[in-house]
Amino acid sequence: MAALLKRLLRLWSPSVALGRPLGRREASQDCKPGTAVRVRFAPSPTGFMHLGSLRTALYNYIFAKKHQGSFILRLEDTDQTRLVPGAAENIEDMLEWAGIPPDESPRRGGPAGPYQQSQRLELYAQATDTLLKTGAAYPCFCSPQRLGLLKKEALRNSQTPRYDNRCRNLSQEQVAQRLAKDPKPAIRFRLKEEAPAFQDLVYGWNRHDVASVEGDPIILKSSGFPTYHLANVVDDHHMGISHVLRGCEWLASTPKHLLIYQALGWQPPQFAHLPLLLNRDGSKLSKRQGDIFLEQFAAAGFLPEALLDIVTNCGSGFAENQMGRTLPELITQFDLARITCHSALLDLEKLPEFNRLHLRQLVSSEAQRHQLVGKLQALVEDTFGSHLQDRAVLDPAYTERILLLRQGHICRLQDLVSPAYTYLWIRPAVDRVQLGAISKEADMIARRLLGLLERLGMTLSQDVLNDELKKLSEGLEGTKYSHMMKFLRLALSGQLQGPAVAEMIVSLGPKEVRERIQMVLCS
Ligand code: GLU
């Protein structure tokens, strides 16, 4: 068998079979698991970043930061047939956008790189060699046709398909014969009868005799690429991962991983499987895939802060549910022990409310407000562009005033360029007939308001204006206060509904109000 093994190992030597050398292997192997917290988010770039993946990344991030640890992004791109162009970039872009950037990643590099599995093939080959040497793995020569038939047969008998371990006990001669015909067999891991029990930090003690329900899994494909089960064990080990926080769909695979750790003589990390994130009705989030991609939320004006808050708010891990938590608060308040096994139900209808809250928090910070002003100016420019009659509306002081006045009323910055707020940026076309129908005293009201503005000067306050507007209606012959306000709102905004008239006057400023009112007089 020794000679045969040698041959097999030679066939699998990376320089022959795998091509790409591992960039920083030395450094990577030095990075032994220690006491430091090191966690990883390990998506496959087979799709763009969505709310489910954001949640997994976030729990890893806050756990790392809570323990002064490192948050690593590793791209699991070993299934080359399912790669989606742009997905890898999107995942890293979206982590940055969400404000939870990795400490180590394909883009940022780091001591345990490379951070893309397709560039770590040598490590998987080495681990496979070790497993072959000790007999914990064996070559499998079964053809795809045979495996397909096995699967069909199982399904016909309403059984879960499993490999029948046919190549498990081939003799030396049989292996030699088959190798001559098929020099690149897949390699399977020999599952032991007794899988170790383990304590999941969320689901508690688990024991699952995987060999009784599954056939021996392939760990290295004939293409030289590993499967997920081998790759995640090898990488978590070499990257010094201390805790694996991942979706609970991987809970049942963990015993398999533990057997691989055992066979390689490695200490496994601690596991914490996260319960599912579902829609409010309990359906799978993926059923709404189309509208849960982060890029779409970003384009629609939702804030990363609101998304982080809503995906943690619907789940567990905190002493209480509370809206409006910021990332630093999430970090200090998070407690892994408080994650329960219940699925988290996400109610996206509440997202605008979360966004309103976080937008308000940002407006209250001068530095953040400054940035929002820039964004709002860009939105106004994009939306109205050449229609802007007066470029003065792009003045930062004007935009900031609008933000300060409307915070709490709007959910997204985008709301401020919606039809209801167009009057802020473009003079309205006021319907004279409609104005006349509200009050016959148009000239009188207009002149009184102009007089009032003259008296009040440049600095207007809503409180003072509210008092003065009440007085303004006194003495009008046939126009009640409420009608006068309706008249003014229409004259200033072209709308019958909207913010309070006093607020409209403050936001537009005395000069613009004067001009709009004079237009009424001229009509
Ligand atoms: N690539 C796997 C996934 O996208 C990662 C699972 C894990 O974290 O171990 O689900």
Side-chain angles (χ1 to χ4, degrees):
M1 192 70 175
L4 190 61
L5 211 54
K6 252 193 202 154
R7 184 164 173 209
L8 202 54
L9 296 185
R10 210 174 48 241
L11 282 169
W12 284 100
S13 107
S15 55
V16 177
L18 306 171
R20 296 174 87 163
L22 182 78
R24 269 167 279 180
R25 205 182 82 223
E26 290 311 316
S28 166
Q29 284 174 335
D30 284 349
C31 187
K32 297 261 157 54
T35 46
V37 165
R38 285 177 64 79
V39 294
R40 87 306 191 270
F41 168 52
S44 303
T46 51
F48 285 42
M49 185 93 172
H50 55 74
L51 283 181
S53 32
L54 175 72
R55 174 171 169 268
T56 308
L58 176 61
Y59 275 108
N60 275 285
Y61 180 89
I62 55 185
F63 182 75
K65 300 300 155 188
K66 190 173 180 78
H67 298 284
Q68 292 79 45
S70 301
F71 170 57
I72 292 147
L73 169 67
R74 180 174 77 223
L75 293 176
E76 304 210 312
D77 58 349
T78 55
D79 190 349
Q80 297 275 305
T81 58
R82 293 179 56 226
L83 298 186
V84 167
E89 294 72 22
N90 175 268
I91 290 168
E92 204 151 356
D93 285 349
M94 287 296 110
L95 288 178
E96 306 266 350
W97 174 80
I100 52 171
D103 299 301
E104 300 167 29
S105 72
R107 202 178 277 168
R108 290 179 179 234
Y115 294 89
Q116 266 158 290
Q117 290 189 326
S118 56
Q119 292 176 21
R120 302 172 64 84
L121 300 185
E122 191 183 335
L123 283 178
Y124 313 127
Q126 280 172 3
T128 307
D129 288 352
T130 308
L131 296 172
L132 281 169
K133 270 188 197 134
T134 58
Y138 60 88
C140 171
F141 300 94
C142 291
S143 65
Q145 290 77 2
R146 176 172 192 273
L147 298 174
L149 277 177
L150 271 184
K151 196 170 170 182
K152 255 195 197 155
E153 180 79 6
L155 292 175
R156 204 173 38 236
N157 297 327
S158 312
Q159 286 170 347
T160 314
R162 60 183 285 200
Y163 177 57
D164 59 0
N165 296 350
R166 188 192 206 192
C167 295
R168 196 180 228 234
N169 298 312
L170 293 180
S171 68
Q172 287 186 38
E173 290 71 31
Q174 285 170 318
V175 172
Q177 275 169 12
R178 285 170 170 76
L179 267 182
K181 280 198 223 136
D182 177 6
K184 286 187 179 179
I187 307 294
R188 287 188 186 266
F189 180 70
R190 195 184 297 272
L191 287 177
K192 277 220 244 153
E193 288 305 321
E194 291 255 306
F198 71 101
Q199 192 172 25
D200 186 83
L201 295 173
V202 174
Y203 285 79
W205 279 103
N206 263 270
R207 200 200 156 121
H208 174 56
D209 279 331
V210 64
S212 61
V213 284
E214 290 185 34
D216 291 339
I218 292 181
I219 51 172
L220 201 70
K221 294 179 270 189
S222 58
S223 61
F225 276 76
T227 58
Y228 160 70
H229 301 296
L230 177 71
N232 96 96
V233 167
V234 169
D235 288 341
D236 286 345
H237 170 74
H238 287 303
M239 291 183 170
I241 298 302
S242 62
H243 297 77
V244 169
L245 275 64
R246 63 182 171 196
C248 63
E249 65 272 26
W250 298 111
L251 188 63
S253 300
T254 307
K256 209 181 310 181
H257 303 163
L258 289 170
L259 286 172
I260 301 178
Y261 278 105
Q262 208 176 55
L264 288 165
W266 294 341
Q267 182 69 27
Q270 286 193 274
F271 292 93
H273 286 88
L274 304 170
L276 291 175
L277 180 64
L278 302 172
N279 294 315
R280 193 175 52 153
D281 61 5
S283 62
K284 272 192 172 176
L285 212 57
S286 54
K287 293 256 164 66
R288 307 181 43 141
Q289 280 290 1
D291 51 11
I292 57 166
F293 290 112
L294 293 202
E295 240 181 5
Q296 288 169 340
F297 287 109
F302 288 105
L303 296 163
E305 290 83 353
L307 292 176
L308 300 184
D309 193 13
I310 198 168
V311 295
T312 44
N313 201 273
C314 65
S316 45
F318 299 88
E320 58 200 341
N321 274 357
Q322 164 197 321
M323 275 173 87
R325 265 190 285 243
T326 60
L327 187 54
E329 287 166 344
L330 287 173
I331 295 169
T332 45
Q333 294 174 28
F334 178 67
D335 180 0
L336 190 64
R338 287 189 185 274
I339 298 190
T340 65
C341 312
H342 305 299
S343 302
L345 300 184
L346 180 68
D347 185 357
L348 275 181
E349 279 175 19
K350 292 194 182 138
L351 183 58
E353 209 40 49
F354 276 84
N355 215 64
R356 181 202 306 275
L357 213 63
H358 285 278
L359 187 57
R360 209 170 174 171
Q361 285 184 11
L362 294 186
V363 172
S364 68
S365 133
E366 207 176 319
Q368 303 278 11
R369 188 164 69 238
H370 191 71
Q371 287 190 15
L372 290 174
V373 165
K375 284 187 188 159
L376 182 53
Q377 285 172 309
L379 271 176
V380 172
E381 181 90 66
D382 277 0
T383 315
F384 303 109
S386 56
H387 297 287
L388 289 176
Q389 287 156 2
D390 185 355
R391 311 290 297 178
V393 293
L394 290 176
D395 171 29
Y398 178 73
T399 326
E400 183 175 21
R401 187 162 76 229
I402 301 298
L403 258 183
L404 285 165
L405 287 166
R406 282 286 91 194
Q407 59 164 321
H409 296 278
I410 51 163
C411 293
R412 301 167 310 148
L413 222 45
Q414 265 84 342
D415 295 346
L416 287 176
V417 291
S418 67
Y421 289 105
T422 302
Y423 75 91
L424 289 169
W425 321 107
I426 292 177
R427 268 185 206 151
V430 180
D431 184 336
R432 316 278 166 191
V433 181
Q434 221 180 348
L435 270 182
I438 299 172
S439 172
K440 302 277 171 270
E441 296 168 289
D443 280 10
M444 173 81 83
I445 298 172
R447 271 189 242 288
R448 284 188 180 193
L449 185 65
L450 289 175
L452 173 64
L453 292 175
E454 188 89 4
R455 258 192 301 122
L456 295 178
M458 287 308 284
T459 37
L460 299 177
S461 98
Q462 283 192 69
D463 288 345
V464 173
L465 271 170
N466 274 328
D467 290 346
E468 294 291 339
L469 285 169
K470 279 204 186 87
K471 287 186 215 153
L472 212 67
S473 69
E474 286 163 14
L476 285 176
E477 293 288 309
T479 313
K480 287 194 292 188
Y481 171 72
S482 61
H483 280 98
M484 183 193 82
M485 298 303 257
K486 199 170 169 185
F487 175 91
L488 287 177
R489 179 175 290 117
L490 186 64
L492 292 175
S493 69
Q495 291 168 182
L496 289 172
Q497 269 159 3
V501 172
E503 186 195 310
M504 276 185 174
I505 294 175
V506 173
S507 53
L508 290 169
K511 182 170 169 283
E512 180 62 21
V513 171
R514 210 172 294 127
E515 286 182 27
R516 293 190 186 190
I517 294 297
Q518 259 152 5
M519 281 165 64
V520 173
L521 275 176
C522 296
S523 63

